[in-house]
Amino acid sequence: MKIDLTYIPPEGKKLDFEFSQEWWKPDLKEDRIVGLVGPISGWVKIQPVGKKISVEGSLSTRLRLRCDRCLEPYAWDLSKDFRVFLSLAPFAGELDLELSEDDLNLEFIHGNLLELDQIIKEQVILSLPMKTLCSGECRGLCPTCGCNLNLTTCSCSSKFETPLYQHQ
Ligand SMILES: [Zn+2]
Ligand SMILES: [Zn+2]
C-alpha cells in the first residue's frame, strides 16, 4: 500500500488499512515469524512536521511465531500503537546534525510515495519479545536426539535435567 505524500494537508491525513493473512511474506531477517493467523488491521495518521513526516498509528493482528526452544509454531496476539518520524530525503550538502541514521528511513519512502507496508512490517518485527516461547514451561528439544520434549520423552532426556539445562 503506497500513500502519495504530495497531497497530505498540514493537519494530516488519517486512513484505515487492512492486509490479508497472505500479506506477510517470509522474512529472512526475522524468521521467528512464521506468518499471520488472520488479517492485520489498524489506522495511520500521516502529518508533515517540519522537514519530516510523522506516521502514527495502531495495528492489531495475530501472529504465528516459532518457539525459540521447541521450534513449534504458536499463536501470539499483537496490538500496538506506534509513531515514527521519516525524513523526506537525505539532505544534500550540509549535514543536519539533528538527523541520526535512524531518521533516514529510505526504505520507507520512494519519490513521494510512502511504503506503508514496510512501516507496518517493521513495527511488527520491533514488537516481538526477546524470546519467543510457546509457553513458559516449554521443555524444548532434546539436545541429543532432537525430539520435542513437550510431546514425548526419550531415553536420553533424563541425563540433561541438570541446573545447567534449566538456564537455557
Ligand atoms: Zn516451545
Ligand atoms: Zn533424546
Side-chain angles (χ1 to χ4, degrees):
M1 185 174 180
K2 297 183 201 306
I3 298 168
D4 192 339
L5 297 175
T6 315
Y7 305 107
I8 304 296
E11 68 272 19
K13 181 176 177 177
K14 192 175 170 184
L15 54 103
D16 296 327
F17 67 87
E18 177 166 309
F19 303 138
S20 72
Q21 188 178 348
E22 292 73 37
W23 168 76
W24 188 274
K25 299 285 180 271
D27 188 316
L28 293 178
K29 282 187 299 182
E30 188 42 87
D31 63 356
R32 291 181 301 166
I33 301 177
V34 181
L36 303 181
V37 178
I40 180 166
S41 60
W43 58 267
V44 286
K45 184 180 178 189
I46 296 154
Q47 190 170 13
V49 178
K51 293 175 183 171
K52 296 182 183 179
I53 295 285
S54 155
V55 182
E56 65 175 309
S58 178
L59 65 88
S60 69
T61 188
R62 175 172 270 207
L63 299 172
R64 193 179 299 285
L65 300 182
R66 185 170 47 74
C67 176
D68 280 334
R69 282 190 198 154
C70 69
L71 308 180
E72 289 296 320
Y74 67 100
W76 189 71
D77 289 322
L78 169 63
S79 168
K80 80 175 282 194
D81 299 330
F82 59 89
R83 188 171 192 187
V84 293
F85 291 93
L86 305 176
S87 298
L88 275 174
F91 299 109
E94 270 183 80
L95 183 68
D96 189 328
L97 293 177
E98 287 175 26
L99 285 177
S100 69
E101 275 182 33
D102 287 344
D103 289 322
L104 297 174
N105 292 304
L106 298 179
E107 61 188 299
F108 300 129
I109 298 179
H110 292 114
N112 253 340
L113 295 176
L114 179 75
E115 308 271 355
L116 183 61
D117 297 54
Q118 295 300 319
I119 290 173
I120 300 301
K121 186 175 166 187
E122 180 179 85
Q123 290 303 315
V124 169
I125 290 175
L126 288 175
S127 67
L128 287 191
M130 288 291 287
K131 258 196 168 307
T132 54
L133 294 178
C134 62
S135 107
E137 286 81 51
C138 175
R139 305 188 65 201
L141 302 177
C142 169
T144 302
C145 71
C147 77
N148 184 340
L149 297 173
N150 300 310
L151 305 175
T152 181
T153 45
C154 54
S155 53
C156 38
S157 66
S158 58
K159 297 175 204 162
F160 289 92
E161 288 186 354
T162 63
L164 184 67
Y165 179 65
Q166 298 296 324
H167 284 295
Q168 284 181 351

